[in-house]
Amino acid sequence: MAQRDKSAVSVASLPSSAPPAPPSGERWGSAIGNLGELGANVESLQKLLARKAVFVDDDVFSKASLAADQARTIKVLDQRVQSLERELDAAISAAARARTEKRQAEAAQRAAEQRAQDVTKELENTSRVFQLHMEELRTKQQEIAKRDSDIKVLEAIIQTLSSKDDGGSSE
């Protein structure tokens, strides 16, 4: 392996903390685990480089650069995955809220329809009662008219009889 005098490998530093907890979806669990392993590998390479200056040939340098680029890409993709998961969780929450609001609106609509039916029945019942009262009033009015007519006939009879009595007693 040939050594190179001019260039030393530099690797982007990754946070030394443990990888983030696996997201709620199981499908990303293995990807997160791979990222954690890769991060540990990069950290150990970084520690090795910090202790000793390593000179490598072009092939090793390009592989190390590629690994560093891939680590950065993986970190960016991991952040994107986490961002998408947050968006997905927000969308799921919004859908749940929408379903709840829909159920509440449907319940309110059913209650309003029931109230309209109740009011309609009450109005129909009131209308029937009103019709019965009107029939009863007409019957009473006819009775009163008949009795009034009977009273007039009786008054006429009384008047006729009283005029005969007045005429017959004066003769």
Side-chain angles (χ1 to χ4, degrees):
M1 181 191 305
Q3 290 187 349
R4 186 177 172 135
D5 293 332
K6 296 182 180 177
S7 62
V9 176
S10 65
V11 177
S13 65
L14 291 175
S16 62
S17 64
S24 59
E26 292 179 16
R27 60 186 176 157
W28 299 107
S30 62
I32 299 298
N34 290 341
L35 288 174
E37 290 177 19
L38 186 62
N41 290 341
V42 170
E43 285 178 21
S44 65
L45 181 60
Q46 185 178 6
K47 288 177 185 177
L48 180 64
L49 289 174
R51 281 186 269 146
K52 300 178 185 177
V54 176
F55 295 99
V56 294
D57 61 10
D58 288 333
D59 188 37
V60 174
F61 178 75
S62 66
K63 286 181 183 177
S65 294
L66 178 62
D69 288 341
Q70 288 175 343
R72 282 189 292 276
T73 303
I74 289 171
K75 184 176 181 180
V76 168
L77 291 176
D78 180 46
Q79 290 172 348
R80 179 67 178 148
V81 165
Q82 290 175 359
S83 171
L84 290 173
E85 286 176 344
R86 285 191 297 271
E87 288 178 26
L88 178 64
D89 289 342
I92 290 170
S93 297
R97 280 191 304 275
R99 281 191 300 274
T100 301
E101 289 172 2
K102 180 183 175 189
R103 283 188 210 113
Q104 290 173 347
E106 288 172 347
Q109 181 180 0
R110 284 191 298 274
E113 289 171 356
Q114 183 63 40
R115 178 68 180 138
Q117 288 175 353
D118 292 346
V119 168
T120 301
K121 285 180 184 177
E122 186 177 336
L123 184 59
E124 288 172 356
N125 290 339
T126 302
S127 176
R128 284 188 198 122
V129 168
F130 181 74
Q131 287 174 348
L132 291 174
H133 283 303
M134 284 301 293
E135 288 176 13
E136 189 177 331
L137 283 175
R138 283 187 198 121
T139 305
K140 295 281 184 188
Q141 222 173 10
Q142 288 173 351
E143 248 180 68
I144 290 172
K146 183 180 178 193
R147 285 187 183 178
D148 195 32
S149 167
D150 289 346
I151 288 173
K152 286 183 183 177
V153 168
L154 288 174
E155 282 178 350
I157 291 174
I158 290 175
Q159 212 173 23
T160 305
L161 288 177
S162 67
S163 59
K164 281 186 183 177
D165 276 343
D166 286 342
S169 52
S170 54
E171 292 178 11

